[in-house]
């Protein structure tokens, strides 16, 4: 089972939907179990016959073998301090891109002392295997089943097992391709592509993603 | 005429070669005029019938209407302090991605107080129009005329004229596509893609570039 903590937001819902459609059992997590259940019911309507449930973040993390972090960056530290025991020995896939929006300036990357949200998560979860991935996949397009995804998912991790699992999950979403982005120290570059894409989206009125060419 | 300051390195030579092949008059600049002339002669052999000359950086910058910065980041500040007068009212295209290489860790982005090399250049050249572009185009592939380029050049600038000129020059290199990356404040995200690509290159033994999908 895969848990999506903070999975009531668009990115979490979109990834949960696509992976449920690929046959994965999915649980949406939220601080508020009722909100998680509402989100799960919405997704179940979009994808009849799939296994999508909702629970509070702790219950969702406890049930799952692997866990996606799709909370806003500000919520990462308190969430992981609360869940470090239950996440021990699990693969934790960090989708968070720390960003702020300022009127007239668009999106900017937030400075993170650890370098990246993913490295901070690994520090807070020393017994988990953290991978960084999926930051640059459009939530709107994930949620639109009629849309075939395109682009690459750069996967960074210091754990070969976490990198392999994350890459395998990427391949379950048709047309998405995992790219080995090396160690977790490279996650900061991938997280910082997100504000660039958000600003490009605003200029072109699109939902941009990235592809590594030459591969 | 286009000048390539620090154009004896692979990125400067590669861009100079491709733009000379596209019909642009090109001057290679270097601290050492003799080295610039040697590089120009090497390129002229690769591209007979084109206009490629060499000069010291000051003479190259003086002759040109538009100037590419292709020096290592460490050389940017002293170069621009020396040339700020001669570069006034010109378009300056910053190709620099501030990076360090560490044994066993690969490439990492250098922290730049101004945010990016391009923003630092604009601060040092208040009378010039600075654009940021071409950091993520492989020098090896630019220098290999048999290779058709692929990928996107994200162009950031606070000057609409500089952005337009840089985009027009991008289109002169077959198959490269300019993408409007918004203001110069976004240059840091583009510059930081370079160490990520360098590290991906090492993993896959390729010359990677990027493409914005969804455009």
């Amino acid at each position: 089972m895969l848990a999506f903590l903070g999975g009531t937001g668009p990115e979490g819902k979109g990834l949960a939907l696509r992976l449920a459609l690929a046959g994965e059992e999915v649980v949406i997590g939220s601080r508020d179990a009722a909100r998680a259940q509402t989100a799960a019911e919405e997704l179940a309507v979009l994808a009849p016959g799939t296994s999508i449930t909702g629970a509070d973040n702790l219950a969702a993390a406890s049930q799952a073998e692997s866990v996606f972090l799709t909370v806003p960056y500000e919520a990462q530290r308190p969430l992981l301090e609360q869940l470090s025991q239950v996440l021990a020995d699990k693969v934790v896939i960090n989708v968070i891109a720390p960003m702020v929006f300022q009127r007239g300036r668009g999106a900017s990357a937030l400075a993170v002392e650890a370098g990246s949200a993913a490295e901070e998560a690994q520090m807070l979860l020393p017994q988990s295997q953290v991978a960084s991935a999926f930051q640059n996949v459009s939530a709107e397009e994930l949620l639109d089943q009629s849309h075939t995804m395109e682009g690459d998912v750069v996967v960074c991790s210091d754990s070969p097992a976490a990198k392999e699992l994350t890459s395998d999950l990427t391949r379950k979403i048709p047309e998405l391709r995992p790219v080995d982005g090396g160690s977790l120290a490279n996650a900061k570059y991938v997280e910082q592509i997100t504000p660039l894409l958000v600003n490009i989206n605003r200029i072109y009125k699109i939902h941009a993603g990235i592809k590594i060419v030459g591969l």
Side-chain angles (χ1 to χ4, degrees), chain A:
Chain A
M1 185 178 270
L2 303 174
F4 292 80
L5 307 187
T8 55
E11 193 77 22
K13 276 168 81 171
L15 287 168
L17 173 65
R18 295 283 182 155
L19 288 165
L21 287 167
E24 295 288 327
E25 270 188 286
V26 157
V27 56
I28 301 287
S30 170
R31 274 179 302 183
D32 176 352
R35 284 191 59 208
Q37 260 152 7
T38 304
E41 284 159 21
E42 282 170 27
L43 292 177
V45 170
L46 294 175
T50 59
S51 170
I52 307 178
T53 54
D56 67 64
N57 282 324
L58 174 60
S62 306
Q63 292 168 58
E65 289 94 49
S66 304
V67 173
F68 285 75
L69 300 181
T70 55
V71 292
Y73 173 65
E74 297 69 35
Q76 170 170 289
R77 180 179 288 273
L79 179 72
L80 298 188
E81 284 174 348
Q82 181 205 343
L83 298 186
S84 63
Q85 284 311 310
V86 72
L87 293 174
D89 302 321
K90 297 187 178 182
V91 168
V92 174
I93 302 171
N94 196 316
V95 185
I96 298 166
M99 268 191 298
V100 283
F101 294 87
Q102 289 167 284
R103 202 172 252 256
R105 290 205 46 198
S108 314
L110 263 178
V112 174
E113 204 182 328
S116 60
E119 287 164 287
E120 184 181 294
Q122 185 65 82
M123 282 172 53
L124 293 167
L125 303 172
Q127 296 176 272
S128 307
Q129 290 81 51
V130 174
S132 149
F134 294 108
Q135 301 89 343
N136 297 310
V137 178
S138 159
E140 289 81 358
E141 296 192 342
L142 286 168
L143 281 166
D144 173 7
Q145 286 179 68
S146 70
H147 182 84
T148 304
M149 300 304 298
E150 58 178 336
D152 288 337
V153 173
V154 179
V155 182
C156 302
S157 183
D158 295 334
S159 155
K163 197 183 277 183
E164 192 181 338
L165 177 80
T166 306
S167 300
D168 288 344
L169 290 172
T170 303
R171 285 187 203 96
K172 292 195 175 196
I173 303 177
E175 304 306 319
L176 284 187
R177 177 177 71 163
V179 171
D180 185 349
S183 72
L184 213 56
N186 291 326
K188 60 177 171 287
Y189 310 125
V190 185
E191 293 179 6
Q192 294 195 29
I193 293 172
T194 312
L196 176 66
L197 292 181
V198 168
N199 293 331
I200 288 175
N201 285 347
R202 211 168 52 148
I203 293 168
Y204 288 96
K205 317 286 177 217
I206 57 168
H207 301 301
I210 59 151
K211 198 160 184 78
I212 306 296
V213 298
L215 252 185

